[in-house]
Structure formats: C-alpha cells, structure tokens
Amino acid sequence: MEKEVYSLCFMCSVRCPIRVLVKDGQVKWIEGNPQVAGMEGSLCPRGSAGISLLYDDQRVKSPMIRVGERGSGHWRKASWDEALDYVGDKLKSIIEKHGGHSVVIGERTQLATHVSKTFLKALKSPNHFTHDALCKGSVNTACRSLFGYTDAQMSMDYKNTKHIVMYGRNLFEALEVKPVNNLMVALEKGAKLTYIDPRVTITATKANRYWMIRPGTDLALNYALIHVILKERLYDAAYVDRWVQGLPGLQDFIHPYTPEWAELETGIAANAIVDLARELSQDKPSVIFHFGYRGANHPNEIYMRRSIMILNSLMGSMEAKGGFFFKKGPGEEGGKPARKLTEQEFPKIEVPRFDKVGTPDFPLPDPNHGVGQILPEAILNEDPYPLKALIAYRFDPLMSIPDTKLTKKALDKLDLIVAIDINYSDIAWYADVILPESTYLERTDSIQQANGLKPQMFLRKQAVEPRYDTRDGAVILKQIGERLGIGNYFPYENMDELVAWQLEGTGFTMEDFEKKGFVAYGKKQIFWDRQDGIKFKTPSGKIEFKSSLLEDAGFESFPAYEAMPSPPKDEFRLVVGRNALHTHCSTQNNPYLNELCSENELWINKEKAERLGISNGERVEVASKTGSGTIVAKVTDLIHPEAVFMFHGFGHEAEKAARSYKKGVNDALLMENVSDMIGGSPAMHETFVTVKPV
Ligand SMILES: Nc1nc2c(c(=O)[nH]1)N[C@H]1C(S)=C(S)[C@@H](COP(=O)(O)OP(=O)(O)OC[C@H]3O[C@@H](n4cnc5c(=O)[nH]c(N)nc54)[C@H](O)[C@@H]3O)O[C@H]1N2
Ligand SMILES: Nc1nc2c(c(=O)[nH]1)N[C@H]1C(S)=C(S)[C@@H](COP(=O)(O)OP(=O)(O)OC[C@H]3O[C@@H](n4cnc5c(=O)[nH]c(N)nc54)[C@H](O)[C@@H]3O)O[C@H]1N2
Ligand code: SF4
Ligand SMILES: [Mo]
C-alpha cells in the first residue's frame, strides 16, 4: 500500500515542510513539500538523509539504565515502566529534599517546548533553558533593544532584496532551504551579495563582493559604514525622522570612526567601505544586513548585532519589501493561535533562575530561553542554590556548551542525568537513563505556529510506525509527570489528542492538514504601513538607537570601541562553524552523512603552516587552555592568518555510535566558557589555540 504524508523535517530545527512517500510501511522517498512556496520539492543533504536516520540500527532502540560509571558505556536494557519509575523515584526524592527548582531541563527549542516548560512550571522550577542563548542570545537582545521584538519575531524578504550583506552568515552551507531558494531567485534577478568572513566559504564564492575581515572586527567595519552613511546623508531621512529615536547621539558617537580608522582594525580598504555604503544607499530600502548567528562571537557581541540592525534602520529596511519584516500572527487575520499547555495556571515560583537571568546580575537575556552556558558554573558553585537533576531533551551540553571538561565536572555533581534523545549522543552516553524518542518520521508532534508575512500552522505528522521501542517526547514527559503527581497538567493520552486540544478554538482540525501539511489564516502577505503603521514594541514606539532597555539596566547605548587583540605569536583565534552535510552534533553518525563527511579538519593559513612546519593532510595537535586534540590540517590560503577554523560537532565519545566514535575533535573541548554578559551569547571565538605537528 502506498501513501503520501505531509510533515516537517527534523534533521535540523529549521523544520522544512516535506512530503514523505510511504510504501508498505516503509519510507521510500522524502522531498520538500511542493505545495509550499520556496520549497519547490527541494531538501538539503541532511533532509534527504532522513531515511538513513530512520533505518540506522545504531540509534537508541529501547530505554537504557546505566550500570557502570558515568560515561563507561555499561548499560542494561529496561522496559518503559521500569525506566520511567526509576526516573520518577529519583526525581521525587530529589524534589522532596531540594525543591522542584533543583531540576533543570535543557532543550533545543522545538515543537514540544511548551510541554517541557509545563513540566517544570508544575514542579515550581524556573530552570528551563533552550539553545537560544548558545545560538544567538545577543542577536535576540540586540533586536529587543532596538525594536522591542526578538530576532525570532522578524525575518527577511530574501526574494525581493536588491542587496544583502552577510557577516559570516554562511547561508549556502549553514542552510535553511526556503531562504536559500529565495535568495537564489533574487540573485538571478540581479540582486547583489556582499559577504564578509575571515574564511572563504561557499557563500563567499557566490558573492559579488567578498572581504576577508580580520577576525572579530565586524563592529569596527560597521561603525565606519555608519560614519559614511551619516556624513554623506545616504540614509532614508523620512523613515529615520519618523521612526528613529537617538540619531543625534549616534551622530556624535560615530564621528571618530572613519573608514581610514576601520581599515587599520579590519584590514578592509577605506575606499572599499565608502563604496559599499554608497552602493547600498542606492538600493534602499530593499537591502538586508543579515543579523547573523554565529559569525563574530565575542563579549561585546550585543553591540556588533546592534550595529547591524542600526544599519538596516538607517536604510529604512525594517518592514520594507526586500528588507526585514515583523512576523504577523493569526490575530492580524482575526484568527486564533494553537493553544499551548503553558496557558494553564501554575503555582507561583519563588526563586530566581539558575542563570540569574532577569535579576540585576544578568538583567537582559531573554528569560523565555535563559542562558545555558551558565549551567556548569551554577552547578559547581551551588549559586544561587544546589541543582541536582538535569533532563537533556534534544540537547547535548557536552558538545554545545563551551569547555566540555568543565561541563563534565559539573555534571558529576548531579544526582540524576536523563537524556531524551534518539541517538547515542555524548550526553546520552554520559546520562544515568536514556529515554529514546521516536524519530520525526515516526511521530506526530505539537502544532507549529508559523507566523510570518502570511500566518500559517504546520503539522509534523507520523509517516510510519516506530521501528523500535521508542515514544513521543510529549508522552514521555507526561508519563514522568504522572509519577510526580503533576499528570493533570497533561490533558492527553497520545499526540493526536494533544494536537486536537491545541486546535480547539482555532477553527481548524487535524484533517485540515492532510492535503497540504499546513493551513493558512489568510491569503495575502501582510506588510504594515511604513508611514504610520509599524508597531515597534519599545517603550517609545520607535526604533531606539538610544536604548531604554540597555540604559535602564545601566548599560551604554554606544560604548567606545575596544580594539580586538591579535593572537600572540604562533597562536591562532579558534573559529568554528557548520557545513552543509551535518547538523551541529546530531548527524555525524548518520550512515549517509557519515559516508560523505566523517571527520572535521583544521583550516590553517598556508604561510603560517609553512612557518610551523605543517603540511596539508598531516595530523596536528590543536590545544587551548581548556583541552587539546589531534586533527587533520587543511592548509589553505582561503583563511585569514590570525584564525584557524574547524567544523563543530565532531569528536564523539559514545562507542555505540560507532561510525562517529573518536572521529575528529570536539570544538567545545577547546573553547573557554566566556559570555557576552549583556546580550547572553557565549563568546565562542575568544579562545586562542596553538597548533603543532604530532
Ligand atoms: N562548541 C559549540 N557549541 C555550540 C555551537 C558551536 O558551533 N560550537 N553552536 C551553537 C548553536 S548555533 C546551536 S543552535 C546549539 C545546538 O545545540 P544542540 O541542540 O545541543 O545540538 P543539536 O545537534 O541540534 O542536537 C542535540 C541533540 O538532539 C538529538 N536529537 C536529534 N533529533 C532528535 C529528536 O527528534 N528527538 C530527540 N529527543 N533528540 C533528538 C541529537 O541526537 C543530539 O544529541 O549549539 C550551540 N553550541
Ligand atoms: N547545514 C547546516 N545548516 C544549519 C545548521 C547546521 O547545523 N547545519 N544549523 C542552523 C543553526 S541552529 C544556525 S544558528 C545557523 C548558523 O548559521 P551561521 O552563523 O551562518 O553558521 P556558521 O557555520 O557557524 O558560520 C559562521 C561563519 O562565521 C565566520 N566567522 C568567524 N569569525 C568571524 C568574524 O569575526 N567575522 C565574520 N564576519 N565572520 C566570522 C566563520 O568563518 C563561519 O564561516 O545555521 C543553521 N543551518
Ligand atoms: S534545512 Fe535541511 S535538515 Fe533542516 S529542516 Fe530543512 S531540509 Fe531538514
Ligand atoms: Mo543555532
């Protein structure tokens, strides 16, 4: 029997809409949902490798309880009842002794996030954190400081842009299918791409203009661009007059930051900076300076991200066709969003978060997400109080939080570590109990509320029965909850019932998703009126160059630029990133993807390598203050001499994931755990390393 199922990919968190062809209970083919504009049937390599995840016999096949030391890899298979009772009993005694707030859930934001937040709220714990800060916390805070919206509440009109500038936003490798397709359309229509990165990436090869910037100096470049734009009055004056608060302060501040000054800091010629400013101004407001995610990550990142969004504002590109737009929700069409379990009433929480977000110590990061990289410090110092249990749900702190040794030392202090995972990830391997989730092709998930120019809802729908003894995450948490006396917060027995509960009052039912995989609230794209209708959510209702969010918390809107130090002689700045074949630390053991890329390499500048006696393809030792590892050198003149680069997500320690076991080096092992203490991002590019032949 054959059927087609519309669903959502989950080989990464982008959640591209897919069509899955199933024959006799087997998945035969996956493609981008052809009924969704911008997908046109396409998928990225990881999305296509979804079949190979489903049929991978090295994933976790049943609940497992550890029998040896943590990390020793000695396990016994357990039934669900046994594993859930084990977790329930442990949590019960921890909560009795130390309170619900000693339980933490760390999670990659996903469709079931409302379920795990509910679980902790019911336990009176504020300690839910997501990947958000680790990924882009300072982008989030920068956007709130200017517009009152998070970065996730806005997006870009790639298709209609005339010029896009990307600062290490390596979109053609660190992929999202729809934006890539839409940007390709724009480029074919003649749009320009300016790409800035200390490394020549695939995106660089598609650019009209590429600048090999000195690592960490994007802020200096942006100050010079702002300088030229203000001096030559290249900005959208009507828009700025109407919508911007704090232009005079910026004008005074920017005066000393000339292109000639920036040339010395960045290595980019002053006249080229002037040319770019003039060129962009001709295409305004249909220009995008991409806010980026993982480009330059330093303790001053908040100001770098603000400078990018200030440039957009000067060009009038916020809420312009071909620029940025604010995502529109169902309310704009008179509709209702899907319900979330977090709408329920919960007992009052009386303690601060473990990361102190929202307190005077750490006022500005987004409390909806928290700051994950603070976890090791909070556990080790028992500050603000002892933490005793961690549930890692689709999140691997051992690879995704800088300084793996420190993280392990902290985890060793916990009484309970539970991993809800599909793979033998490093955290699953280090856990006390593994509760295996069914993969995305084997499960239905909570509704995706997809706000945008056209508000929609999408559904991840089960395509085939689970191949192994696995369950849905939302059901797993409910079943633990039942053992803790909080089962009443989870009004469903299975995913179909949860989805039906979510859809109550929206006017849609699960059947409505069958034909296309999504439902739309309206037909037209919604742009707000640029003259009077842009609903900025700042206290002033304007774009706040002079930011009340920052200044009320005691931070400056425009602090003086501090020079970015070069590494000491014969050391390098470690920079990291993704490639098109892998998702963070999740897919290295995937049979297809492992075959295509099984190990990471260390990019090192040719002249530097020659001086150190390192040749291409040779194994080298890369070492920092926090750790070291052996990796193959990729000697190239396509990287700035101050930097070395490696892909994130390799160097796995779980033996049962045999294809990726001990292949390459885990970048988190080398990174120091330092943060932008205003914006919330980890400063992942602050670490210097040495490299030597082995
Ligand atoms: N050192 C270092 N750290 C980083 C980064 C970096 O470049 N270097 N990048 C940062 C960024 S941008 C991000 S977004 C975060 C991402 O951080 P993570 O969310 O930790 O990374 P992922 O690889 O996306 O997923 C983690 C886990 O999810 C599991 N998983 C995959 N699919 C499923 C599923 O369907 N169900 C369940 N239950 N588990 C599943 C995987 O097996 C894996 O163990 O990391 C951040 N941390
Ligand atoms: N294939 C694939 N695609 C993905 C993901 C994935 O895991 N795999 N993850 C998704 C997620 S969660 C995220 S956050 C995005 C990440 O998207 P990006 O932020 O585009 O991803 P990275 O690969 O980390 O690219 C960072 C780039 O910044 C460069 N860089 C380093 N230092 C500097 C600097 O000082 N200045 C500038 N201008 N550049 C610098 C690095 O050389 C690198 O090329 O990708 C998303 N898409
Ligand atoms: S970008 Fe690729 S892996 Fe991520 S959801 Fe889309 S198709 Fe899947
Ligand atoms: Mo990310």
Side-chain angles (χ1 to χ4, degrees), residues 18 76 124 139 167-168 211 221 239 269 333 394 437 511 541 586 588 593 623 636 668 681:
I18 52 174
R76 70 180 167 86
K124 291 175 69 176
V139 184
Y167 303 79
W211 287 340
L221 167 63
Y239 184 93
E333 294 281 5
R394 210 218 157 283
E437 185 167 30
E511 287 71 51
S586 305
Q588 284 71 19
L593 298 172
T636 168
S681 277

Side-chain angles (χ1 to χ4, degrees), residues 108 131 134-136 293-294 578 584:
R108 174 41 156 119
H131 78 295
L134 285 152
C135 169
K136 58 184 184 62
Y293 299 112
R294 307 265 1 116
R578 278 130 274 275
H584 304 288

Side-chain angles (χ1 to χ4, degrees), residues 8 53 56 76 97 243 254 375 383 401 461 509 536 568 601 675:
L8 293 171
L53 167 68
D56 180 2
R76 70 180 167 86
K97 255 204 226 138
W243 292 116
I254 215 68
L375 183 68
D383 178 18
I401 294 180
K461 177 113 198 293
T509 65
F536 293 111
E601 298 174 319
S675 293

Side-chain angles (χ1 to χ4, degrees), residues 10-13 53 107-110 131-132 134-136 293-294 392-397 399-402 420-428 435-440 443 473 576-578 583-588 648-649 666-669 671 682 684:
F10 201 34
M11 291 299 286
C12 87
S13 312
L53 167 68
E107 170 184 18
R108 174 41 156 119
T109 313
Q110 50 164 335
H131 78 295
D132 193 84
L134 285 152
C135 169
K136 58 184 184 62
Y293 299 112
R294 307 265 1 116
Y393 182 12
R394 210 218 157 283
F395 174 74
D396 188 345
M399 291 208 148
S400 308
I401 294 180
I420 304 179
D421 209 310
I422 52 173
N423 293 313
Y424 281 101
S425 58
D426 282 25
I427 187 63
L435 302 176
E437 185 167 30
S438 306
T439 64
Y440 70 100
R443 72 176 195 256
V576 306
R578 278 130 274 275
T583 296
H584 304 288
C585 50
S586 305
T587 55
Q588 284 71 19
H648 162 56
N666 171 6
D667 61 346
L669 200 60
M671 287 174 178
M684 283 190 190

Side-chain angles (χ1 to χ4, degrees), residues 365-428:
D366 188 342
N368 286 322
H369 295 283
V371 175
Q373 72 271 19
I374 303 295
L375 183 68
E377 192 185 300
I379 298 173
L380 287 167
N381 300 336
E382 304 198 346
D383 178 18
Y385 42 72
L387 297 171
K388 293 291 169 187
L390 170 69
I391 301 178
Y393 182 12
R394 210 218 157 283
F395 174 74
D396 188 345
L398 293 175
M399 291 208 148
S400 308
I401 294 180
D403 197 348
T404 305
K405 261 195 215 152
L406 184 79
T407 307
K408 270 193 185 166
K409 194 171 149 202
L411 295 188
D412 286 342
K413 271 191 77 168
L414 297 179
D415 293 345
L416 180 68
I417 306 173
V418 179
I420 304 179
D421 209 310
I422 52 173
N423 293 313
Y424 281 101
S425 58
D426 282 25
I427 187 63

Side-chain angles (χ1 to χ4, degrees), residues 137-146 219 296 298-308 364 549-550 556 559 676-681:
S138 301
V139 184
N140 176 326
T141 309
C143 289
R144 279 182 291 122
S145 80
L146 285 158
L219 180 58
H298 299 280
N300 67 349
E301 190 185 330
I302 172 94
Y303 293 107
M304 199 278 278
R305 302 300 173 190
R306 268 175 59 84
S307 71
I308 295 177
L364 295 190
L549 186 79
L550 287 170
E556 290 175 86
D676 167 356
M677 290 305 290
I678 306 176
S681 277

Side-chain angles (χ1 to χ4, degrees), residues 167-212:
Y167 303 79
R169 176 65 187 102
N170 185 13
L171 184 66
F172 292 106
E173 289 183 88
L175 285 162
E176 296 173 52
V177 173
K178 259 198 267 182
V180 166
N181 283 343
N182 286 335
L183 185 56
M184 295 292 276
V185 171
L187 294 178
E188 277 160 20
K189 282 193 297 193
K192 292 183 222 82
L193 164 60
T194 292
Y195 186 73
I196 301 153
D197 193 313
R199 183 174 72 96
V200 182
T201 62
I202 301 283
T203 310
T205 66
K206 304 207 181 300
N208 304 74
R209 178 192 275 106
Y210 164 67
W211 287 340
M212 186 180 279

Side-chain angles (χ1 to χ4, degrees), residues 3 72 86 90 92 139 167 193 300 329 384 403-404 413 428 473 500-501 506 518 550 569 573 580 582 604 615 661 691:
K3 63 172 180 176
S72 64
Y86 181 97
K90 278 265 183 188
K92 224 188 282 168
V139 184
Y167 303 79
L193 164 60
N300 67 349
D403 197 348
T404 305
K413 271 191 77 168
W501 181 89
T506 63
F518 67 95
L550 287 170
K569 187 165 180 287
R573 189 177 286 286
H582 285 291
I604 180 166
S615 41
Y661 178 54
V691 184

